[in-house]
Structure formats: C-alpha cells, structure tokens
C-alpha cells in the first residue's frame, strides 16, 4: 500500500510492453544513421515536391496528405512563405471562426470589433462569442495598455564578486554609449531601461525595450547583441564569459519576473454586467458566479497556479494563430489575474495580463491569411499594436465571463458534450 | 528620481494620447449596440459567404482577405470543419516545415522520424533541424513516457469543516460507485485516482484519468460530470454548492500541481553527444556549453522561471499546430527541466516534460492537413499517443541542444539576423 | 535615466565607502589565520568560562554581556543544555508573554488554552491577544489536523533512464523490506508512503513518515539512512551515486511540494464572528474587512506570495520559541491560506497551514523554560502533538483576524506607534 | 486502490478518535466563556506574579515551570522587558553556542568574527562551526551587501480603471511632497522609490525605504501612514478605500517580489576551498560534492523550492534569536541561491540572500542577552547593520558547505545520530 497506485499502474503498463532485457537495448543508441535532410531556406514548388518525394517514400504519408498540405496556393507562394520557415512543405489549415461585434472602450482600441479565432476545439468560439455578446450588451469593456517592454537579458561572468561590482559601476557610467550601440541597429526599438542583477560573480543586465508596433523579439536580440559587442570591446573589467541571453528574460516561458514587472505589453480590462443580463444570457445569478469565483480563486492558490484565471490560453492561442503572432508566446502570455466583485447592481469582472506579446507589423502578420485576420480586426499595419494588445485582453475577459457563467450554471460539461461530441 | 523611469515614460505616452478629460469618457460604457452575430454551429459554403458579407461591409477586410481565408477547398469542406469550430469563415494557412529523420530510441517511439513543424517564425525549423541532426548523429535520443493522467477537479463546499470531513469519509467508502459512474460515460477513459484536498469547508476531488489515445480533456469533463451528479444524488452529506471544476486541475495553465505530479503525459528524454560532434556541428565546445548551462540555470532560478529550460514552447507550439493538438495547451505543456552534464567523453543532455497533452485520435487530429502531419510522423490513429508524447519530448531536446549551442558559440543573434531579417 | 535609481544610489554608497583600488584587496582572501575554537560537545561551568575568557579577550563583549548570558542558572545546567547545543556559553533570554484563555473546538485540542508567546516585537502579543479574545467571544474556533507526514527524500543517480526505470521497478517489488529496514530504527516512526519521482537518470524516493508525538526530523533521517543502506546492499540495479537527501523534502524551506501535499502536520481552523463583536472589539465593520480581504488577496497574488495570508510567521515563531520547537522550521511552516466570507450574519474566517512542524516530546521541548511553555498550554509529553498543531493553527487564525481588523479600521500604524515606539 | 493510502490512513486515525455523531458537536462553538486576560502593557514583578497565579490555577503549569520562566533576573527587569512584549510572564532561555573565529572579507564586515547561535537543535552549532573552520582556513569569505530596501505597499481602490490611471498620474506629479510627508516621521528612514502597480481599479504603491541601522519595519509603517494621510487629504482623485498595507510587501512571508527585487538587505558571499582542505576537513572530494550539488539543484527545482539552497533557515534563526532580531522574519529571509563550481584547483561556493532583515539598533537588540550577542560579534550599535547582514550571509555559506560536505561524505545521518541521539 506504501507505493502510490498510479506508480504501480504505470509499471504494469511498461512491464506489459517491454521486458527488462529489452528495455536496456531499446533505449540505447542506434548504430546506423539515416540520410539527414539538408536545410532549405529558400523554397520553390520544386523544393517542396522534392521534400514530399522523400516523405512519401519514407513515411506513412499518403497522396491525400500531400494534397492537403502542399495545395496549389501554398506551392505558388512557396518562396514568400519560406521567408518565415525553412524546409517548407506547404501549409496547415487551421479552422477560423469569428465573434463580435465586440464593444471595446479602450485607450487605443475603441469601437466595435470582429475578432477572428483559429482553433480546432469545438465550443471555443461559441463560448468566447457568448462572452463577447454579454460584454457588448453591457456597453463594452474598458481597457488600457499600462506598460510595454520586451526584455533581453545578457549575462556576464567575472573572476569574482569584486569584478562583478566594478563592472556594474562601469555599465552605469557608460549607459548612454550602451543605449546608442543598441539603438543603432533598429529604427523602432528603444532601450528604455538597463537594470543590473548580481549573483556574486555573475551580472545579468535586464534590458527593456519598446519595439514600436512589432512584437519585437528579434529586434531586441539584434540590438542587445550590438550592445554586448560594444561592452566587450570597451569595458576594462573583462568578463570570463558573456552570453547574449542568460535565460532570465522569460522569452517563451512563464516567469515571476514577467508576472511582476511585465514583458511585452501589460493590459487591464474590465466590465460591469447587470444582474438581468447575467440571468438572461448566462442562465445563472451573480450570487452563484461569486460563489464559483471564491472556489476558483482557492483552487488557483492551492494548485500553485501561476497567476489566477480560468483559460486565457484558449483565447490567446486562437487569436495569435489567426493574426500571425508567435503561438509559442502563449507559454508566457497566458497568465494574469481575473477578479470578480459585486458592484452597482451588477458584477464587476476584470482581467490583467502582464505579458501580451503581439505586433501589428512584422513576423507572421504579413502572411496572406494572417494579414486577413488583422484586416477583420481593422488592426493591420503600423500604429495598431497597442490596440491589438487591448483587444487580446478584452477577448480574455469575454472568455472568463463565459466559462465562469457555465460553471455557475452547471453547463460546463453540457456545452462540451453538445458542441464537441454529438454533432 | 523616486518614480521608476518606465512609469514616467508610460504616463507621457498616455498623456500624449488622451487628455484627462477624455480618458474618463473613453473608458466608459457605450450607449448603442451593434447587431450581434448569431452562433453558426453547422457551416455551409453559404453560411461562410454570409459571414464574409458582413465582415466585408463592417471591417477593413478586403476581397483578397476573403480569398486568403475562404479559399475553395475550405469552403468545400465547411461542414466538416464546422465540427471543430463555430462561426466558420475559412482557414488560416500556417507555414509547415519538416525536420528529420530524427532517431528516437523510446519505449513507444522507436526508429527514424520526420517531424512536421508549423510556424511563421523564421529560423525555428532550421534550429530544431540542427538539433535533430546532432541527436541522430549521436545515435538518437532515448525516451520514455513515465506517467499519464488527465485531471478534472470538482469542488464541493459545505457548511463547515465537520461536514467537509464527513464528506471525504463518504467518498472514500463509495469510491467504486464513483468510478463506475464516471467510467460509464466513456470507452477509453479510466478513473485511476481520486485524491481529496480539503481547505476547511471546501473539498476538491483530484480525479486522475487515463484517456487512451486521445488528449482527453472533453472525455474527463463528461466523466466527471457524471460522477458529480452521482455524488449529488447519493451522498447524505449535502454540499452548499458544487462545481465540476474548481480551477485546480491546471487545464490550459501552468500550475505547480502539474509540474510536481504530472498532467497529461510525463516524458523524459536524453542523449550523449560526443565532443567531436559538438565541435563540428555546433562550432563550440562542451566546456563552453556547460559554462552557458550554469548561467542559464541561474537565470531560470533568479527570474522565478516556472521550470528550468530554454524554449520548449517553440517546438511544442509548432508540433501541436502541425498535428491538430490543442495549441492552448502550450500554456501548460511548455515547462519542465533541461539538464546538462559532462559524461563519457561527451555531453549528456536531458529534458523532462511533465505535462505533454497530445492525442493521436480525436479533436483536431482528424482534419485533413493535421492528419497529414500525423501521417508524416507515422503516428496517425489508435495506439500512437504515447509515441507521440515521446516524439514531443525528443523534439524539445533537439531545440534545447541547438539553442544552447548557439548561445555558447555566440551565434544566437546572428542566426536570427540571417534567417529572419536579411532574406 | 535608463539605470534604476536604487542601483545608482547603492553604487554611490559603495563608492563613498571604498575606492576601486581597495575593493579588490578587501574582498580577497586573508593570509593569516586566527586560532579556531574546538567543538565542545559536553559543556561544564568550566568549559563555559573558558569560552568566555576567549570571547572577552578577543571580542567587544563585556563583563555585563557575560553575566547576561552565562547567568548562574545557565551555568548550573550547562551539561543538560549541552545535549542540545555545542560550544555552549549560556542562554539568550527571550521575553515571554501569554494570551488566553483561547477557546478551541478541535478534534484533538478541545477547551480553553493559555498560549505562551516568546518575542521581542512590541504589539505582537497584544495583537494576538485581541484576536484570541474575539475568537473566544464567538464561541471558539473549530480546528482539525487533517494529515501528517514528515518527508525524507533520498536520491539515486544511475547510468541512464533504463536503469532508473528498472530501479523503480525493484523498489516497488521490495517495498516491504524497505519499510522494515526503515522502521527497525525507531519505535514511533512509521514509513507510510514511498513515491518515486524520476528525472531521466535520477530517482528521488519521497518517503513520508508519521513520527508519533515528535516533530521527527531526526527520526526520519535515521530511518531513511537505514533504508538506503539496505537498498544499496540489496538492489541489483546499482546507482552511480546515492544521497540520503536530494534537497527535495522541503526540510527548513518553503516548497510547493509542501504546500500541495503537506509536510509535518496539516491543520485547518475557522470561526464565524458576529457583526456586533466586530464592531465592538475591532472598531470596524464586516463590509470593510471584506474590502480589505479583496485587496489583500490581490496583493498576495500580484507579489507572487507563497501562499496567501497576512503574518502567520509572527505567531508561529513566538510559539515555536516558547515551546522548544525548531525555530528554523518557521521557514516552511509560515505559509498557507487565509479565507474570508460573509456568512450567517457574521464573518467566516479560516486558515489552513499544511506544514506545521511541532512535537510535544523530543528536541527542545525538554528544556526547563520550554517545557514550562508546554505546561502552560497543558500539552506537555506524549499524546499531545496533534493538539499542539491545532493550537498553532488557531493562534494564526487569531493573528489574521486581528491584523485584518487593524488594517480595516486604519489602526495598523497606530498600534505599532503606540506599543512599539512611544512607551 | 483509487484513494491514496495516506488519505485512508488519516481517516482511520480520525474514526478511531471520534464518532461521526460527536465530530459535529466537538467542532461546534462553545456556549460559555472563560474570563479573558486583560492586556498588561507595563509589567512589574507584581503583574508577573498575578499572571502566574492564574496560570498555576487554571493550567497544568507547575511551580518549577514558574521558576524556570519567572526567574529573579527576569522579574527584576520586568519593566524593561515589557517595552518589547505585553502580558510579560518571564523569559524563555534558549541555549547559546558560539562558532569562530570566522574570517570575513566583506565590504562592511572585515576581520575575524565569533558568531553566537541560539538553538535547541543538537549538531547545528557543530555543523556551522565546521563550515566556519573550513572557510577561515581557506582565507575567509568575500561578502558584499549589494542593495537595501524595506517595503511598505499601501493600496488604493478606485471607481474604475480611469481613476486609477489618473491617480498614478497625480502621484508621479507629487512625489516630492509624498517623500517629504513620509520622511518627516523619521530621522533615519529615507523613501528612495515609489513604484505604482496597477490592477484595473486598484493601485499598489511599492514604497522602498532605507532604514539606517535598524531593521526598520516599524519605521516604514509609520512613515507610510503619514504619506497615505497626506495623499488622502490632497489628491483630487478620491479612492473608494485605501489601506496602509495591501499585503504586497512580503512582510514576514516569502514572495517572488522579495526574491527578485530584494527586501531588507541583499547580500552575496563566496569562498574558494582548495581540494586538500575538502579532503582533510570534510572527508570527501570536490568531485563528490559537485555530484551532490547537481542532485540538490534538481531536487530544489522539482520540488518547487522557493530559491535553491540547503538550510539557510537553521543559521538565520539561530543568529536572529541570538542577536535580538525578529525571528518571524526567518520566513522571508531564509531563501536565496547557493552555487557550486570547480575553480582554480578548488571549489567555489557562493550564497546570495536577497531578504536579510537585521538591525544593529532598535527592537530586541537592546535586551541584555541579545545585546551581548551583538557584543560578541563586535557589531553593537549604530553603523553596523550592513556588516551584520554580511555576517548573516557568510554564516549561511558556512552552513551550506558543511551540510553539502556531510551529504557527499555520507555522514549526514551519522552526525545527527551521534550529536542528537546518543549523548
């Protein structure tokens, strides 16, 4: 009884699969080696067909598979696509739905928005759409981007603590030159803050940039590289090593640094929904939603949740894919705080997301269908990134309202059952 | 000087944008309301065109936008797609690249694999491809799924502590009936563990399921609903409220519960790469990679990273999109632990990911291009989910090796510059 | 402006203190070496005087200092004290106050308790006393110890993943022998669970013990050592290394493992306080306390607090010192969850502390004044540890009520001012 | 099997103790009420005796208990002690040991130090003493306080987001007046930074102070109260509520804010220990310690440790009690990062503690035996707080070296066995 049941169960599963004798062999290295692919940076219809020839020969993929991915339109645009990907073999078609018009009363986003969402999870669009309907019926959500900064955090390792301290002193006295070196590489990026963090012999420089209307991850990498090269050439306090990124920035992963101080754009959004709307559209009461809110807050705390919210990731992943953002950033963006409160005869709901990474220019935003996603939003091109971030936060607000309503009304499972299973 | 510079800067930005007088108005609710969309659950070419008519009329979207999204193939398959999405308006085309053959010596995945990756981030496929090349040249990575469980965590709120305790007692004495109620809803799901967690008057039941070859999030929702309905009907210790999900399970978000005890499939993978391969293919040395590893581990700790790794999210997001997985799960999956060590004249690198959520059946895996993604992997259909999870982990291993090599060689910025900017 | 002000300020402070030239010298190693103390395990009045002779000669300590620490009573009991400390030189006198009678309606602690608190922080005893008064006036707090387990977590490192897996298999098949080996070392300790956690080539065994009425940290160390020696001798799957504690157990530090699964004794306690009592004794209203509670919960979340509470540490440190517990365990014990809710015409307040480490026997509990502390509680000797844990939790409940009341009433600063400064 | 064993076991324990019928009664409120103590703020020998009269009558405490706590010296100094505690009944005598001379090469602490440690845990002083011996034999540890700031974080709640934003704008434009209001209350405290953090309608002001040579928690409370009163009177943007502390500051609890940005004094310390010393004094090798270090780092990560270290709490609690610091601050201080590395024919070990809360003046430092503790250190009175913080960090360094040596040598359990059990 002393061994947890799940451990026993897993061992039985494995024993059923492989004997003790074979497990060692099976996990050991292979002697032979298949012919590796060469990286194709510039694709053509020909290069795509060549890759498929090999895939068809050596994998389980079928003619239909090739047709589904390497469709004529994708082949035609192979060269354009290959600016965004290597070893291009076509495109994956992700279903796109739309919700709206969603009323947003933001500092940057102001008006009625249709929001495109790319997902293959049934019920997701319906759920966010229901939330959007409720928010809009209540007069819309207020929203504000309250800070912005993309981080790069190079690390410098010294002989010891004394040198590390002297290095920080040097950095502080040469900050203008560092800023100049970094900003020389970019028209849009501004290095707005350098904060040194010391751990004995190691110094991390927390470099915060604004990046104009791009998400900006490449921009800050290139700028920081230039800054580091300048430091390396000029500082009399020579590091034993330096690295352009000390794994401190939270790039593509959840960190408390990002939660606390923001990475990318920090946005807060809220709405007050009258009791009558809650009853009519969510089939539940404010009281019951607040009861659920208490449990949900406790669940977030007890499970060690990073932030406290219900499912920002669903909305953000769908929006990021639909508008050509970096879907990997969901790992850092999908966190923050949802709050509930009874107020003014209604229920106040707010969300705050400190790490929204979006751009209205650059990266995948220029691809045809992704650009179209931005077009539906009316947020294509320069001057729209802050508004896009506000839309992202309000979208999450809609999702929170809808899921909490479903939980409170006891309809969460039914919704999934109906939309995901039975049709 | 007492106010941080970034706060001052943000305020200047906002003051430039809106005056104090307008900010209150701008953030207030709107009086009028645009006509909301009705949810379309079953799409046809006609329903798609109807939606576009409205989008074209009321948004900045163009004819080209419509064409990019609502292409003929998408229109033809509208009904099929609409099993996975509401308000269907077409598809987003995400560029797909391929790497491999990647040698995997896993318990479930064994052999050479081509891995499809969907992304619009230049350099990503090249970077993972480089890692795959290195791993394969070293004889492949060993890998094992070491546990599996998808969680649902209903919550029950009682009058007080005494009732909560008596309820747990009742649950423990009726566990077989609860298991039966849950499992009656599903052919593939098994309820393998129920762990009560008490916080005074509130009890969460941590229900862990195995879900066959599906990712299983809907399956466990429906099963748990049935279990809760059974409890509600049978228990003499009546809760004041109950909710099917107490926001404890970590569904679509990072939690320490998931990190510690696993959610979805937990996989570990590793490889030993000889010094000569490091020199030839990464243009750096083991010594230098280990130096970087120390800094990266420190950066992870100091920044409060959730886990300790470099960029699992990049590989996972690309693989999830390419194979029809739920991209929102990147929020919980993209975490774990990367380790480095000098061993046997080479460098040992391992990754452990406790929360991989993938299925080889169900959800988006049946869509044409996503099914094709699984076809390329040779992991389409029943019996392949564990292998798919092992592939996901080895893919992350490849990405870690490649990025750490680039950091150590000082090529991280150059790679981005060359692949993302200059072509 | 790019460098944060606090960094500049610190550098100025350091520059004012030391020049660049001296900083390197100052931080470098010293050539000479003073004569080290030899460890004295068995103290006598003579050994104490000998140590003081040296301290008086080589430090700034005065005759009065020696008298304050090496008082006659401490000298007389030197040998007895030295069973608990090495290099004994006397005792530190920590002021002791008392609160109560505190009404507790617990599973194990039941009745009216006077609680001794050792602290030098003015206002602390008064604040906890006020909370105790309120709780008692409301009929007392309910409380229950809901789990108990002290962890040791040995680690075993293998050649690779295959061996690690086979080792777990061996452990599971030999669990009875392991349990026997561990329990042979102790009359009171029981090894109730062994949970293996694998990270590629490394296996941690999470060994949970019950420890009777002792806090039990030494007991589980000795038992686990015996278990590991048995494993080392018997397992055919030989580890490359093993260590008795893999820094996984959370001993003397905060971990999410402890928060989630409990370490030591997990206790939950609560009370409902009527509105009239709140008004009369806290000079505020339930409404206002709930308003504060919302802000306090948000502050806990946004600051990345480990748990969500106000100041458990104050009560626990004072109780631990007063009753001979290990004060270092405050680092792990002082965490958990405080909740507030309007209920039944009053305010429901609960606390849950998953990591209370206390014993009614063993360790410092046998020292004269510490034993007296337990005597005041009526919880000296065998059979009282669970009750002591319940008292600890209710004490924290009193502290939470009092501080939240002070915050709500706007009296927090005044209390400190009056009690700590002006007398 | 589906219910974890430890849950079943606990339920059996409870069922054995109480029946279902009695559990409800037992946890319910009591009708009667014992006579509460009145708070005694100014103690005399008489007031102490009066309290003991009641304790002797109503509790299990004996004459010997009273004598152990209310000894003549404590009675004589009752009034002086009662400036630090209410309801004074005597003193708890905590055993005091001493280690040293410990060589410290710090910016502020420089020379050989004897360090007093108050604890009842056998082996603790011996273990830290062994580490100190090793550090001193290696020429001493370098150390530097690298930042200082004590936080208070008042919270202001507004009608909505717009008002919250306008409030921040007002604060930023009136920062000098706020600073003046705060600093008018204190000679030593300086308000060095105000950072607003916004979550929709709620604004926290992160106020960082330097506090001279005091730990400073009361000082910053009183200053912040004055600042808030000033704000409340002057700001045209009226909050719905405000509270002097929004539970954001990390006072007496572990937070990521403190870990990341420091609370109290942040200190880093390190030493390089030659291989020969490791062999001679720790009976192990650098190789083996590094092997342990890898496992310990992994254990810290996998268990969700807050920081990554072995047992800072042991040294800090013993030092805090010995020198009149606030022992409750162990909850926040006992965290940080320990690092290991092979370097220059030896092993480099460093510790970084971001949250050391110590003062050389104020609070418990003026009590006779606690003042004597500072006297032994040579750090009594003004101008010594920074040095005291550096001593605290080096002490932790000694403890880390000793315990890692014991783990590597396989002596951890033996040490406990020998020192704690058998004498």
């Amino acid at each position: 009884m002393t061994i947890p049941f799940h451990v026993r169960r897993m061992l039985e599963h494995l024993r059923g699969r492989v004997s003790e004798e074979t497990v060692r062999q099976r996990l050991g290295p292979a002697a032979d080696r298949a012919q590796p692919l060469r990286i194709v940076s510039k694709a053509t219809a020909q290069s795509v067909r060549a890759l498929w020839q090999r895939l068809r020969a050596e994998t389980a993929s079928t003619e239909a598979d090739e047709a589904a991915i390497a469709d004529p339109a994708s082949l035609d645009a192979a060269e354009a696509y290959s600016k965004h990907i290597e070893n291009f073999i076509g495109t994956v078609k992700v279903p796109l739905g739309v919700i709206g018009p969603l009323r947003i009363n933001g500092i940057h986003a102001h008006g009625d928005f249709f929001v495109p969402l790319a997902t293959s999870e049934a019920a997701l669009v319906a759920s966010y759409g229901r939330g959007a309907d409720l928010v809009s019926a209540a007069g819309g959500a207020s929203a504000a981007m309250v800070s912005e900064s993309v981080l790069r955090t190079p690390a410098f390792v010294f002989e010891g603590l004394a040198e590390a301290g002297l290095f920080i002193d040097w950095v502080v006295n040469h900050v203008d030159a560092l800023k100049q070196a970094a900003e020389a590489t970019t028209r849009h990026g501004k290095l707005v803050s350098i904060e040194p963090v010391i751990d004995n012999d190691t110094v991390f420089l927390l470099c915060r940039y604004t990046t104009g209307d791009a998400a900006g991850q490449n921009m800050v990498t290139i700028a920081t590289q230039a800054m580091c090269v300048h430091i390396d050439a000029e500082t009399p306090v020579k590091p034993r090593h330096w690295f352009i990124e000390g794994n401190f920035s939270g790039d593509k992963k959840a960190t408390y640094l990002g939660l606390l101080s923001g990475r990318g754009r920090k946005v807060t959004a809220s709405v007050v929904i009258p009791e009558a709307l809650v009853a009519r559209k969510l089939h539940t009461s404010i009281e019951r939603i607040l009861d659920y809110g208490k449990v949900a807050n406790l669940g977030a705390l007890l499970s060690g949740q990073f932030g406290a919210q219900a499912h920002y990731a669903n909305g953000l992943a769908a929006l990021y894919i639909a508008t050509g953002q970096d879907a990997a950033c969901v790992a850092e963006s999908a966190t923050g705080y949802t709050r509930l409160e009874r107020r003014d005869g209604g229920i106040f709901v707010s969300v705050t997301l400190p790490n929204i990474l979006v751009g209205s220019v650059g990266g995948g935003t220029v691809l045809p269908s992704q650009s179209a996603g931005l077009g539906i939003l009316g947020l294509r091109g320069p001057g729209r990134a802050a508004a896009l971030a506000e839309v992202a936060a309000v979208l999450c607000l809609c999702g929170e309202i809808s899921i909490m309503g479903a939980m409170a009304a006891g309809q969460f499972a039914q919704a999934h059952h109906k939309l995901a299973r039975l049709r």
Side-chain angles (χ1 to χ4, degrees), chain A:
Chain A
M1 287 291 269
T2 313
I3 301 286
F5 179 58
H6 67 92
V7 175
R8 290 190 187 276
R9 202 174 179 289
M10 192 68 202
L11 285 168
E12 280 154 27
H13 164 79
L14 290 174
R15 278 188 216 122
R17 193 167 176 91
V18 285
S19 71
E20 179 174 333
E21 296 79 49
T22 59
V23 74
R24 293 175 195 266
Q25 291 181 311
R26 198 168 172 87
L27 297 180
D32 56 325
R33 161 107 213 246
Q35 178 65 27
L37 290 181
R38 285 190 50 236
I39 294 292
V40 181
S41 292
K42 191 167 176 175
T44 59
Q46 236 170 339
S47 76
V48 174
R49 271 192 298 267
L51 277 168
W52 273 105
Q53 209 166 355
R54 179 142 183 214
L55 293 176
R56 295 288 306 284
E58 302 183 20
T59 79
S61 58
T62 64
E63 194 173 340
D65 290 342
E66 179 172 350
I69 288 175
D71 60 292
S74 294
L75 284 172
D76 282 357
E79 190 177 339
Y81 276 121
S82 73
K83 286 180 184 158
H84 298 270
I85 197 162
E86 300 78 38
N87 290 4
F88 178 73
I89 59 168
T91 57
V92 172
K93 283 79 186 175
V94 183
L96 189 68
V98 68
I99 64 168
L102 169 59
R103 177 73 197 182
I104 301 181
N105 308 308
I107 296 284
H108 301 86
H110 208 265
D112 291 306
F113 293 83
F114 288 92
V115 184
L117 298 171
T119 183
S120 56
E121 298 300 307
L124 189 151
V125 169
S127 174
Y128 278 79
R130 184 171 79 140
D133 184 30
L134 204 56
V135 164
S136 301
S142 49
M145 181 179 80
V146 295
S147 74
E148 60 172 313
S149 64
V150 180
L151 276 168
R152 263 294 155 232
T153 51
F156 301 81
V157 185
F158 296 90
E159 281 308 313
L161 172 52
E163 290 74 16
L166 295 170
F167 175 70
I168 292 179
D169 200 27
W170 182 87
V171 164
V172 170
N173 287 323
H174 295 78
V175 64
D176 292 335
L178 270 54
K179 191 170 155 67
Q180 209 177 332
E183 294 180 359
T185 63
T186 165
R187 260 176 310 154
H188 300 293
K190 298 293 166 202
L191 174 53
V192 294
S193 169
I194 302 177
E195 183 177 356
V197 171
I198 184 170
D199 188 286
N200 210 275
D201 61 349
T202 305
V203 176
F204 297 87
L205 296 181
L206 276 56
C207 300
R208 290 186 182 275
Y209 294 84
T210 56
T211 58
D213 286 298
Q217 315 238 48
N218 289 338
M219 187 191 295
V220 306
T221 300
I222 292 161
T224 304
Q225 173 77 8
M227 188 196 79
C228 289
V229 166
H230 176 89
I231 290 174
D232 194 38
E234 299 294 331
T235 183
V237 195
K238 294 299 173 199
R240 288 164 56 217
H241 339 280
W242 66 268
F243 303 100
I244 187 179
E245 174 54 64
N247 201 25
F248 202 121
S249 68
D251 187 10
K252 312 282 167 82
K253 56 220 158 205
T255 64
Y256 273 100
L257 178 69
L259 258 188
L260 284 168
S261 69
R263 188 169 185 277
R265 301 173 206 265
K266 177 178 173 181
V267 185
T268 183
S270 58
V271 68
V272 176
I273 302 175
E275 178 88 57
L277 275 179
V278 169
R280 193 164 78 240
K281 291 184 185 275
L282 296 177
H283 314 295
T284 186
S285 66
I286 290 178
E287 191 62 25
R288 176 112 177 128
I289 294 180
L290 290 173
D291 283 335
Y292 179 64
K294 281 174 210 154
V295 167
N297 183 62
L298 184 61
L301 285 167
L302 295 186
S303 63
Q305 192 188 121
F306 194 82
Q309 41 92 20
H311 68 142
Y312 293 171
N314 274 328
L316 290 180
L319 180 68
Y320 280 18
I321 296 172
T323 60
Q325 312 301 323
D326 186 346
C329 289
V330 167
E332 50 182 315
S333 294
T335 191
Y337 305 97
T338 296
R339 288 165 50 205
L340 297 179
E341 213 166 298
R342 184 183 287 282
R343 194 177 300 174
D344 310 332
I347 185 169
F348 164 89
V349 189
S350 78
V351 299
T352 302
L353 291 98
N355 302 311
I356 295 180
L357 279 137
V358 293
S360 60
V361 303
T365 65
V366 302
L367 295 172
S369 51
Q370 288 83 341
S371 167
L374 288 171
I376 291 170
L377 276 164
L379 297 174
R380 183 159 38 196
R384 270 80 177 242
L388 184 56
E390 291 179 355
V391 168
V394 174
L395 175 68
C396 290
L397 178 66
C398 296
E400 297 295 281
I401 291 168
S402 184
I403 203 170
M404 290 188 297
M407 291 290 180
Q411 298 177 327
F412 181 66
Q414 288 87 330
H416 277 83
H417 203 259
K418 198 177 99 198
L419 288 163
R421 279 298 201 71
L422 296 187
R423 60 186 174 180

